Amino acid sequence: KQEVTQIPAALSVPEGENLVLNCSFTDSAIYNLQWFRQDPGKGLTSLLLIQSSQREQTSGRLNASLDKSSGRSTLYIAASQPGDSATYLCAVKTNAGKSTFGDGTTLTVKP
Amino acid sequence: NAGVTQTPKFQVLKTGQSMTLQCAQDMNHEYMSWYRQDPGMGLRLIHYSVGAGITDQGEVPNGYNVSRSTTEDFPLRLLSAAPSQTSVYFCASSYPGSAGLDTEAFFGQGTRLTVV
């Protein structure tokens, strides 16, 4: 059974700092890995999707990497802003239509 | 673009009542899924579908039924609501691209259900 762990559970940083969120998974036989953002009381917004054959994806200030052999992914956020404050979730797809989520990292960026 | 639409946004049920949570997507996605999100337990898969007429159970299917008669719709039915089903429910969809390279998953805004 796939298990997904996100560390840390919560993170507080001053504005402008670069930061890394971690996601680890136990079964390396994955289709893809996706990072999401969730604001309080809202749905999930997709940030980056990394296919199993890819090593990284970039979008603006975000960069996500994938190392299947070690079962790890990182989400790098450059020059953090207060608007980045949210919960960040990673999801690993191991079968058609099925994804396993981590519990998320709640990020607070202080002005 | 409507994306994934869930209705209702909020619902209060009494124990034993039944109801259907609606989910519709307009992106012609073949894959659709239902998750519940509970504090401290993350998102857990309830049921999923890889196409019209095909459904399967996820991690926590008990007490829920689904059907997929069209590509666009994937309703979730609570047969006899229990307080343990108090949660936030999310519907998601994605498209199975070529060679297993799925597209990104899109989520609805959620339905907050309280069972008293």
Side-chain angles (χ1 to χ4, degrees):
Chain A
K1 178 186 172 185
Q2 179 73 267
E3 294 182 1
V4 180
T5 303
Q6 291 187 245
I7 295 174
L11 181 64
S12 180
V13 300
E15 182 177 4
E17 194 163 294
N18 302 326
L19 59 100
V20 174
L21 307 181
N22 297 292
C23 172
S24 62
F25 48 95
T26 55
D27 185 351
S28 62
I30 67 171
Y31 279 48
N32 60 47
L33 185 145
Q34 193 166 356
W35 283 92
F36 293 88
R37 168 185 174 139
Q38 185 176 30
D39 294 290
K42 303 294 186 182
L44 281 69
T45 300
S46 177
L47 296 174
L48 289 166
L49 171 70
I50 310 177
Q51 303 291 353
S52 63
S53 58
Q54 297 174 326
R55 298 283 292 185
E56 67 176 342
Q57 284 286 339
T58 297
S59 175
R61 294 183 293 108
L62 306 179
N63 176 277
S65 68
L66 174 64
D67 184 344
K68 273 202 317 178
S69 61
S70 65
R72 293 183 180 180
S73 176
T74 62
L75 178 66
Y76 174 83
I77 302 177
S80 58
Q81 303 170 358
D84 294 330
S85 298
T87 296
Y88 291 80
L89 297 152
C90 71
V92 175
K93 178 167 281 189
T94 52
N95 202 346
K98 297 177 67 173
S99 289
T100 302
F101 281 79
D103 288 343
T105 294
T106 299
L107 173 66
T108 303
V109 181
K110 297 173 289 185
Chain B
N1 293 332
V4 179
T5 302
Q6 290 184 236
T7 55
K9 287 185 171 54
F10 302 93
Q11 183 70 49
V12 178
L13 287 179
K14 293 183 179 178
T15 298
Q17 286 185 317
S18 63
M19 80 160 293
T20 299
L21 308 185
Q22 301 291 344
C23 176
Q25 52 90 10
D26 61 357
M27 297 172 283
N28 201 32
H29 284 174
E30 292 188 26
Y31 293 169
M32 295 186 75
S33 310
W34 276 103
Y35 294 86
R36 59 178 289 174
Q37 186 176 36
D38 303 289
M41 303 194 75
L43 280 108
R44 292 180 291 169
L45 182 65
I46 305 171
H47 285 285
Y48 67 102
S49 169
V50 297
I54 306 170
T55 63
D56 205 345
Q57 296 181 349
E59 183 183 356
V60 287
N62 293 341
Y64 307 95
N65 272 0
V66 292
S67 60
R68 184 96 180 269
S69 57
T70 68
T71 299
E72 294 78 18
D73 300 300
F74 191 42
L76 178 71
R77 297 182 186 84
L78 280 69
L79 308 174
S80 177
S84 61
Q85 293 178 305
T86 294
S87 186
V88 181
Y89 292 84
F90 288 101
C91 177
S93 74
S94 64
Y95 188 79
S98 61
L101 300 179
D102 291 4
T103 66
E104 61 183 329
F106 291 85
F107 277 72
Q109 288 300 297
T111 294
R112 292 183 176 275
L113 175 68
T114 302
V115 182
V116 298

